[in-house]
Amino acid sequence: MTDHERTPSRRRAYAKLWIPDQPGAWMMALLPALAGVVVGGADAGRLWLTAAWLLCYCVQFTVARWLRSRFRRRYLPPAATYAALLAVVGAPFLVVHPAVLAWAPTYAVLAGLTFRGAWIRRERSLWSNAASVLAASMMAAVVYTLGRPDPLAPATGFVLAAVFALTQFGSVLFVKTMIRERRSRGFLVASWAWHALLVAAGVIVAWREGPSGTPLAAVAAMLLLRAVALPMIGRRRALRPVVVGMVEMVMSLVVFVYAVMCAPLLAL
């Protein structure tokens, strides 16, 4: 292989040190915060907080790799750079919006769990995935409630966060049945059971709330359908990870649209 042929691969490898290379993970991390912006209003504070959260995600990604590598030098520059940028963006935000620090203990615990998972090289375990899902999903509530004194704000924020947390954990289970745990009957049963419970919850909400609750049942049914159909197809013919990723990106957008259009009505 010539030097000219090696250059593109080296550039891609260098880029992966700095940029998370899973579009589905990007969407799962950012869509809850963006839902909080859309539902709460795209003011300067919410946009500022969302930008800080984006940097938090980059810090988590790069620091986790650095920890997993046992402090290899090549992973330090991205982690240090993102941490410095987060300090520049985040410190002034905390001065202007100190009330957001009420969320800090919870996020410290969740970050600690993900870093622990990286250190022991179990970052793809269910408990580590669950910590990441909770951290991302809660941002819907953190962003939405920023500066909102109205009494319904906590309830609406909770509903938004719950929708993302429940559906994103289902996504974690589904993706495992398609890739890393493709031959695991236990994970397949867990995925189907989780999504069936989501459908049951959607039906109950539709029965209690009427038309405003019906879309939740429809979204849950779509998620269950893909959780059942794709693993069955995958047993007959291998599906590339990019196909699974594209399906989850579409499903993430469906959940996002539901969250911003319908979920706040359930808090009323």
XYZ file of all heavy atoms in Angstrom, residues 206-263:
429
model
N -54.441 5.578 25.822
C -55.473 5.905 24.846
C -56.863 5.721 25.435
O -57.778 6.524 25.173
C -55.304 5.039 23.601
N -57.029 4.681 26.238
C -58.327 4.427 26.864
C -58.680 5.513 27.885
O -59.825 5.956 27.974
C -58.295 3.057 27.542
C -59.542 2.745 28.327
C -60.804 2.547 27.842
C -59.633 2.613 29.749
N -61.681 2.290 28.867
C -60.991 2.323 30.057
C -58.705 2.689 30.790
C -61.430 2.117 31.362
C -59.139 2.490 32.088
C -60.485 2.209 32.364
N -57.679 5.987 28.625
C -57.927 6.993 29.666
C -58.007 8.406 29.114
O -58.808 9.217 29.583
C -56.835 6.913 30.733
C -56.842 5.631 31.536
C -55.841 5.695 32.666
N -56.144 6.806 33.568
C -55.406 7.134 34.627
N -54.306 6.430 34.897
N -55.731 8.147 35.389
N -57.165 8.705 28.130
C -57.044 10.078 27.649
C -57.854 10.361 26.386
O -58.009 11.520 26.013
C -55.575 10.422 27.387
C -54.670 10.253 28.590
C -54.965 11.239 29.691
O -55.502 12.334 29.372
O -54.674 10.946 30.866
N -58.299 9.328 25.710
C -59.058 9.548 24.481
C -58.141 9.867 23.315
O -57.013 9.360 23.237
N -58.578 10.736 22.397
C -57.797 11.014 21.183
C -56.370 11.485 21.445
O -55.456 11.164 20.685
C -58.617 12.113 20.490
C -60.012 11.901 20.975
C -59.870 11.428 22.392
N -56.144 12.236 22.530
C -54.789 12.741 22.800
C -53.824 11.628 23.180
O -52.613 11.787 23.083
C -54.823 13.793 23.916
O -55.244 13.204 25.146
N -54.360 10.477 23.611
C -53.488 9.379 23.988
C -53.292 8.336 22.908
O -52.401 7.489 23.001
N -54.121 8.399 21.853
C -54.051 7.391 20.789
C -52.707 7.343 20.073
O -52.205 6.251 19.772
C -55.177 7.622 19.774
O -56.442 7.575 20.455
C -55.152 6.566 18.684
N -52.071 8.497 19.748
C -50.786 8.420 19.033
C -49.714 7.624 19.771
O -48.868 7.001 19.116
C -50.378 9.898 18.895
C -51.673 10.641 18.916
C -52.525 9.886 19.880
N -49.730 7.614 21.095
C -48.730 6.842 21.833
C -48.873 5.357 21.527
O -47.870 4.658 21.313
C -48.870 7.084 23.338
C -47.921 6.277 24.230
C -46.473 6.575 23.887
C -48.195 6.568 25.702
N -50.108 4.861 21.482
C -50.330 3.457 21.151
C -49.849 3.154 19.738
O -49.265 2.090 19.482
C -51.809 3.108 21.308
N -50.083 4.087 18.808
C -49.660 3.880 17.421
C -48.139 3.836 17.307
O -47.574 2.973 16.615
C -50.227 4.988 16.536
N -47.453 4.746 17.987
C -45.980 4.761 17.951
C -45.428 3.495 18.594
O -44.499 2.868 18.063
C -45.442 6.022 18.665
C -43.938 5.930 18.842
C -45.800 7.267 17.876
N -45.995 3.097 19.730
C -45.520 1.885 20.398
C -45.726 0.660 19.508
O -44.877 -0.245 19.472
C -46.257 1.702 21.728
N -46.843 0.618 18.774
C -47.092 -0.508 17.872
C -46.063 -0.544 16.741
O -45.593 -1.629 16.353
C -48.509 -0.415 17.303
N -45.689 0.618 16.220
C -44.652 0.667 15.186
C -43.324 0.146 15.725
O -42.615 -0.615 15.047
C -44.489 2.100 14.681
C -45.662 2.642 13.899
S -45.436 4.382 13.452
C -43.952 4.278 12.431
N -42.975 0.545 16.943
C -41.722 0.093 17.539
C -41.737 -1.414 17.780
O -40.731 -2.102 17.572
C -41.472 0.840 18.853
C -41.264 2.358 18.735
C -41.183 2.993 20.131
C -40.010 2.682 17.943
N -42.880 -1.937 18.227
C -42.993 -3.384 18.428
C -42.867 -4.126 17.104
O -42.184 -5.165 17.029
C -44.330 -3.719 19.093
C -44.642 -5.213 19.245
C -43.607 -5.903 20.121
C -46.054 -5.407 19.803
N -43.496 -3.599 16.062
C -43.440 -4.254 14.758
C -42.006 -4.399 14.279
O -41.601 -5.474 13.818
C -44.270 -3.464 13.743
C -44.271 -4.011 12.304
C -44.867 -5.409 12.275
C -45.043 -3.071 11.381
N -41.208 -3.327 14.380
C -39.821 -3.431 13.920
C -38.996 -4.329 14.837
O -38.068 -5.001 14.407
C -39.196 -2.051 13.724
C -38.877 -1.241 14.976
C -37.470 -1.505 15.478
N -36.991 -0.497 16.370
C -37.289 -0.374 17.663
N -38.153 -1.198 18.241
N -36.747 0.570 18.414
N -39.336 -4.353 16.162
C -38.599 -5.202 17.092
C -38.865 -6.685 16.848
O -38.022 -7.531 17.175
C -38.968 -4.845 18.532
N -40.018 -7.003 16.270
C -40.350 -8.396 15.960
C -39.902 -8.764 14.552
O -39.278 -9.808 14.329
C -41.868 -8.629 16.115
C -42.242 -10.028 15.619
C -42.287 -8.453 17.565
N -40.210 -7.891 13.580
C -40.002 -8.247 12.176
C -38.526 -8.324 11.794
O -38.093 -9.285 11.139
C -40.728 -7.247 11.280
N -37.732 -7.320 12.184
C -36.343 -7.288 11.713
C -35.497 -8.428 12.256
O -34.706 -9.015 11.495
C -35.705 -5.934 12.011
C -35.748 -4.953 10.822
C -37.182 -4.529 10.522
C -34.883 -3.741 11.085
N -35.603 -8.795 13.543
C -34.824 -9.967 13.980
C -35.241 -11.246 13.251
O -34.388 -12.100 12.977
C -35.145 -10.052 15.484
C -35.482 -8.659 15.874
C -36.216 -8.099 14.693
N -36.536 -11.374 12.933
C -36.975 -12.553 12.195
C -36.379 -12.557 10.790
O -35.949 -13.602 10.287
C -38.508 -12.585 12.142
C -39.172 -12.651 13.510
S -38.661 -14.087 14.496
C -39.401 -15.403 13.546
N -36.372 -11.395 10.146
C -35.744 -11.294 8.826
C -34.250 -11.567 8.935
O -33.655 -12.247 8.095
C -35.999 -9.898 8.224
C -37.491 -9.694 7.939
C -35.186 -9.698 6.946
C -37.853 -8.287 7.510
N -33.641 -11.043 10.007
C -32.210 -11.215 10.192
C -31.788 -12.655 10.405
O -30.627 -13.003 10.184
N -32.712 -13.500 10.839
C -32.375 -14.909 11.013
C -32.289 -15.632 9.676
O -31.644 -16.670 9.567
C -33.416 -15.590 11.910
C -33.277 -15.193 13.379
C -34.373 -15.781 14.227
N -34.178 -15.390 15.611
C -33.553 -16.122 16.522
N -33.035 -17.283 16.164
N -33.422 -15.697 17.770
N -32.965 -15.081 8.652
C -32.947 -15.708 7.329
C -31.884 -15.100 6.423
O -31.300 -15.782 5.592
C -34.324 -15.587 6.667
C -35.417 -16.375 7.384
C -36.653 -16.496 6.532
N -37.235 -15.190 6.252
C -38.154 -14.611 7.022
N -38.575 -15.234 8.119
N -38.645 -13.434 6.707
N -31.639 -13.809 6.598
C -30.604 -13.147 5.802
C -29.972 -12.053 6.646
O -30.662 -11.303 7.345
C -31.185 -12.548 4.521
C -32.368 -11.645 4.726
C -32.835 -11.030 3.431
N -31.831 -10.144 2.864
C -32.030 -9.413 1.778
N -33.183 -9.477 1.133
N -31.077 -8.629 1.327
N -28.662 -11.970 6.592
C -27.934 -11.004 7.427
C -28.254 -9.576 6.989
O -28.243 -9.265 5.789
C -26.441 -11.261 7.334
N -28.577 -8.740 7.948
C -28.814 -7.326 7.691
C -27.602 -6.534 8.167
O -27.144 -6.712 9.297
C -30.073 -6.847 8.420
C -31.396 -7.481 7.972
C -32.542 -6.981 8.842
C -31.673 -7.161 6.515
N -27.094 -5.687 7.318
C -25.907 -4.905 7.673
C -26.245 -3.933 8.805
O -27.373 -3.428 8.896
C -25.418 -4.136 6.455
C -24.927 -5.027 5.325
C -24.671 -4.219 4.083
N -23.649 -3.181 4.323
C -23.401 -2.201 3.466
N -24.122 -2.090 2.349
N -22.457 -1.316 3.736
N -25.259 -3.658 9.676
C -25.497 -2.709 10.762
C -26.002 -1.352 10.279
O -26.782 -0.701 10.973
C -24.124 -2.588 11.431
C -23.477 -3.905 11.167
C -23.943 -4.318 9.790
N -25.571 -0.916 9.074
C -26.031 0.373 8.572
C -27.539 0.365 8.337
O -28.210 1.386 8.526
C -25.275 0.752 7.277
C -25.621 -0.195 6.132
C -25.561 2.197 6.889
N -28.085 -0.782 7.953
C -29.538 -0.890 7.761
C -30.247 -0.739 9.099
O -31.245 -0.009 9.219
C -29.897 -2.238 7.096
C -31.410 -2.419 7.037
C -29.282 -2.319 5.711
N -29.735 -1.432 10.108
C -30.312 -1.317 11.451
C -30.226 0.124 11.940
O -31.187 0.668 12.509
C -29.586 -2.262 12.425
C -30.167 -2.132 13.840
C -29.697 -3.705 11.936
N -29.085 0.761 11.694
C -28.917 2.149 12.107
C -29.886 3.086 11.424
O -30.455 3.983 12.068
N -30.123 2.880 10.132
C -31.070 3.732 9.406
C -32.490 3.545 9.928
O -33.249 4.511 10.073
C -31.007 3.416 7.914
C -29.705 3.828 7.239
S -29.409 5.622 7.328
C -30.764 6.230 6.311
N -32.848 2.296 10.214
C -34.182 2.042 10.776
C -34.346 2.770 12.099
O -35.379 3.415 12.361
C -34.406 0.530 10.961
C -35.672 0.266 11.785
C -34.516 -0.156 9.603
N -33.328 2.706 12.949
C -33.430 3.363 14.255
C -33.440 4.881 14.133
O -34.064 5.575 14.938
C -32.291 2.903 15.164
C -32.514 1.522 15.725
C -33.906 1.359 16.308
O -34.125 1.735 17.471
O -34.791 0.851 15.594
N -32.751 5.411 13.147
C -32.807 6.858 12.935
C -34.223 7.286 12.566
O -34.732 8.294 13.076
C -31.815 7.255 11.845
C -30.355 7.166 12.269
S -29.179 7.507 10.939
C -29.499 9.261 10.667
N -34.881 6.507 11.708
C -36.264 6.819 11.334
C -37.175 6.709 12.553
O -38.017 7.585 12.808
C -36.740 5.889 10.204
C -38.233 6.077 9.950
C -35.952 6.160 8.931
N -37.009 5.639 13.326
C -37.847 5.452 14.511
C -37.596 6.555 15.546
O -38.526 7.000 16.227
C -37.579 4.080 15.128
C -38.092 2.907 14.314
S -39.913 2.857 14.152
C -40.130 3.572 12.526
N -36.360 6.985 15.662
C -36.044 8.073 16.591
C -36.755 9.355 16.176
O -37.264 10.111 17.025
C -34.530 8.313 16.648
O -33.863 7.208 17.209
N -36.805 9.606 14.878
C -37.513 10.793 14.386
C -39.017 10.678 14.627
O -39.679 11.666 14.943
C -37.217 11.003 12.906
C -35.806 11.479 12.576
C -35.592 11.513 11.058
C -35.547 12.867 13.165
N -39.564 9.462 14.471
C -40.991 9.256 14.745
C -41.293 9.569 16.209
O -42.271 10.263 16.530
C -41.396 7.810 14.403
C -42.804 7.501 14.927
C -41.352 7.593 12.890
N -40.462 9.056 17.103
C -40.653 9.332 18.534
C -40.511 10.821 18.816
O -41.279 11.397 19.605
C -39.647 8.516 19.374
C -39.693 8.952 20.843
C -39.938 7.031 19.246
N -39.548 11.473 18.174
C -39.347 12.907 18.367
C -40.584 13.690 17.951
O -41.047 14.576 18.692
C -38.135 13.363 17.559
C -37.901 14.851 17.582
C -37.272 15.455 18.656
C -38.319 15.650 16.526
C -37.059 16.822 18.687
C -38.111 17.018 16.535
C -37.481 17.609 17.626
N -41.132 13.369 16.792
C -42.331 14.071 16.318
C -43.487 13.858 17.290
O -44.216 14.792 17.635
C -42.709 13.597 14.898
C -44.075 14.153 14.492
C -41.651 14.029 13.900
N -43.649 12.608 17.747
C -44.699 12.350 18.733
C -44.463 13.169 20.000
O -45.390 13.772 20.546
C -44.760 10.866 19.092
C -45.579 10.633 20.340
C -46.964 10.689 20.283
C -44.968 10.442 21.585
C -47.731 10.539 21.435
C -45.725 10.290 22.733
C -47.091 10.335 22.650
O -47.852 10.209 23.792
N -43.218 13.180 20.471
C -42.912 13.861 21.728
C -43.239 15.346 21.656
O -43.821 15.907 22.595
C -41.444 13.654 22.097
N -42.899 16.002 20.566
C -43.087 17.453 20.499
C -44.535 17.827 20.174
O -45.001 18.920 20.533
C -42.138 18.104 19.479
C -40.685 17.839 19.857
C -42.408 17.625 18.067
N -45.287 16.919 19.522
C -46.638 17.259 19.121
C -47.701 16.767 20.086
O -48.739 17.424 20.252
C -46.925 16.688 17.714
C -46.090 17.283 16.616
S -46.560 16.719 14.956
C -48.209 17.415 14.818
N -47.472 15.623 20.709
C -48.543 15.002 21.475
C -48.239 14.787 22.959
O -49.133 14.903 23.792
C -48.902 13.645 20.847
S -49.393 13.718 19.127
N -46.990 14.446 23.279
C -46.677 14.090 24.659
C -47.038 15.179 25.673
O -47.553 14.877 26.753
C -45.203 13.716 24.777
